[in-house]
């Protein structure tokens, strides 16, 4: 009987520590809690050391377990890199791809990219985490994060997908029953629908060529969700600023009108962020390439 811990056993232990419990690890590995517990016990028997302290309420890692976790994680990462290098030669994406994005951008843009990706590559499965919170892609095991805005300095790799551009919009019904809206100063006489700021007063910083104007006032309605802002604008409650990809389909149908063309906030960059590795897994490369192409087509 061998005393060497295999890759599959090692992966189970790393998953238990990463997930923080046998139950969560079992769910991640799509198996049962008892099997996970037996495998960890078998690892400890082979190594002759206790790696985890178990209690009815919590699970903690021993000092020896922490050292083993770090070494096992490095070994598995190296093995996965080697597999990715081989898979890169065949070029066919396969396996589970875990992605993250904000809920708004995820449900309005990323969903379409995922659908196209799954249709193209039948051997891939996708798990999407749409969260308003910043997700640590290394700790959470994320393959690709779609991020809007400037990126902080990090050891992660990133590919720019494109930019989100903005415009000012109102419904035709609203414009019919209000005063003229021809200049930026005319906004002072209009009801505004604005995004709730994280701090400070609601405002827009609008640019038109080299000219910048700040519109800072109490809006008729302030919301923390772009889709809700679009819906209230469609209801005829005022003027709002929206990403063009959210508004232009309604302009084409005649439900919204773009006002003050040329005035808008600075475009926001969109990046695909992923772990920096020498070999890029085909499923990651395939998804990022598809996103870049789809972003260009959508614009």
């Amino acid at each position: 009987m061998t005393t060497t811990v295999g890759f599959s056993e090692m992966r189970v232990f790393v998953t238990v520590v990463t997930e923080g419990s046998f139950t969560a690890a079992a769910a991640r590995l799509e198996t049962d809690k008892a099997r996970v517990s037996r495998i960890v016990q078998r690892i400890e028997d082979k190594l002759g050391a206790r790696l985890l302290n178990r209690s009815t309420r919590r699970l903690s890692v021993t000092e020896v377990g922490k050292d083993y976790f770090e070494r096992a994680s490095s070994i598995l990462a190296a093995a996965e890199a080697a597999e990715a290098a081989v898979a890169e030669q065949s070029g066919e994406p396969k396996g589970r791809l875990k992605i993250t994005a904000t809920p708004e951008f995820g449900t309005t843009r990323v969903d379409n990219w995922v659908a196209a990706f799954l249709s193209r590559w039948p051997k891939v499965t996708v798990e999407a985490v749409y969260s308003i919170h910043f997700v640590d892609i290394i700790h959470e095991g994320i393959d690709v994060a779609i991020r809007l805005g400037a990126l902080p300095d990090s050891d992660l790799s990133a590919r720019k997908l494109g930019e989100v551009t903005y415009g000012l919009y109102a419904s035709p019904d609203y414009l019919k029953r209000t005063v003229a809206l021809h200049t930026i100063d005319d906004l002072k006489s209009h009801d505004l629908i604005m995004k709730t700021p994280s701090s400070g007063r609601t405002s827009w910083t609008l640019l038109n060529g080299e000219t910048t104007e700040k519109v800072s006032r109490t809006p008729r309605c302030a919301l923390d969700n772009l889709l809700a802002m679009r819906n209230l604008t469609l209801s005829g409650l005022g003027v709002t600023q929206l990403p063009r990809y959210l508004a232009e389909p309604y302009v084409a149908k005649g439900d919204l009108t773009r006002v003050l063309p040329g005035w808008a906030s600075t475009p926001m960059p969109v990046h695909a962020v992923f772990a920096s590795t020498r070999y890029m897994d085909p499923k990651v490369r395939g998804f990022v390439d598809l996103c870049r192409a789809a972003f260009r087509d959508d614009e």
Side-chain angles (χ1 to χ4, degrees):
M1 181 177 178
T2 180
T3 58
T4 302
V5 177
F7 282 133
S8 60
E9 294 173 316
M10 202 177 291
R11 185 171 285 106
V12 169
F13 173 74
V14 168
T15 303
V16 170
V17 175
T18 302
E19 295 294 330
S21 73
F22 288 116
T23 301
R28 168 65 60 208
L29 296 168
E30 299 182 347
T31 187
D32 58 88
K33 177 182 175 182
R35 181 172 180 273
V36 170
S37 181
R38 287 196 301 272
I39 291 173
V40 172
Q41 182 63 59
R42 188 160 66 238
I43 295 172
E44 290 179 326
D45 291 343
K46 287 181 178 181
L47 297 177
R50 178 173 290 277
L51 305 178
L52 299 174
N53 289 317
R54 306 154 174 85
S55 70
T56 55
R57 292 189 176 182
R58 62 190 300 269
L59 189 72
S60 63
V61 188
T62 66
E63 287 301 317
V64 173
K66 290 178 182 177
D67 182 66
Y68 184 73
F69 171 77
E70 295 297 332
R71 294 173 184 273
S73 297
S74 297
I75 291 170
L76 289 174
E80 289 171 0
E83 291 173 1
V86 174
E88 191 175 33
Q89 301 302 315
S90 66
E92 182 180 8
K94 57 185 177 181
R96 181 178 69 100
L97 179 76
K98 188 173 182 180
I99 65 174
T100 187
T102 59
E104 292 172 3
F105 198 76
T107 54
T108 55
R109 299 295 290 276
V110 180
D111 277 354
N112 294 330
W113 302 345
V114 169
F117 186 64
L118 290 174
S119 297
R120 183 174 181 182
W121 302 109
K123 294 182 180 180
V124 174
T125 61
V126 170
E127 178 182 345
V129 178
Y130 292 163
S131 174
I132 61 173
H133 303 294
F134 186 85
V135 177
D136 184 332
I137 72 172
I138 301 299
H139 180 72
E140 299 295 333
I142 300 293
D143 295 302
V144 182
I146 306 299
R147 297 210 163 134
L148 282 68
L151 296 177
D153 291 334
S154 73
D155 293 329
L156 301 173
S157 296
R159 297 279 174 82
K160 186 174 181 180
L161 303 180
E163 293 181 331
V164 173
T165 56
Y166 297 87
L168 298 173
Y169 299 91
S171 72
D173 289 341
Y174 171 81
L175 294 173
K176 286 178 183 177
R177 67 174 189 269
T178 57
V179 298
L181 181 51
H182 299 308
T183 70
I184 197 74
D185 288 337
D186 292 338
L187 284 175
K188 297 175 182 177
S189 304
H190 283 266
D191 293 330
L192 302 183
I193 300 169
M194 305 177 83
K195 191 169 178 65
T196 307
S198 56
S199 61
R201 191 178 180 188
T202 49
S203 65
W204 292 332
T205 300
L206 304 176
L207 289 78
N208 189 348
E210 299 298 320
T211 305
T212 301
E213 291 284 346
K214 187 166 185 178
V215 179
S216 181
R217 47 180 293 217
T218 302
R220 177 78 187 279
C221 188
L223 305 104
D224 65 353
N225 184 281
L226 292 173
L227 298 178
M229 291 169 59
R230 183 192 64 190
N231 292 342
L232 290 186
T233 306
L234 287 166
S235 298
L237 292 180
V239 180
T240 196
Q241 179 174 218
L242 291 170
R244 293 184 63 194
Y245 73 84
L246 277 182
E248 290 299 327
Y250 293 87
V251 173
K253 293 189 293 185
D255 296 329
L256 287 178
T257 299
R258 187 171 184 185
V259 298
L260 303 180
W263 287 100
S265 291
T266 303
M268 182 178 294
V270 181
H271 291 87
V273 180
F274 45 91
S276 179
T277 58
R278 182 178 179 185
Y279 298 105
M280 196 170 179
D281 190 300
K283 64 178 180 286
V284 173
R285 182 189 300 279
F287 185 68
V288 172
D289 288 346
L290 183 145
C291 290
R292 295 177 72 184
F295 204 106
R296 290 193 300 268
D297 293 341
D298 290 346
E299 293 300 299

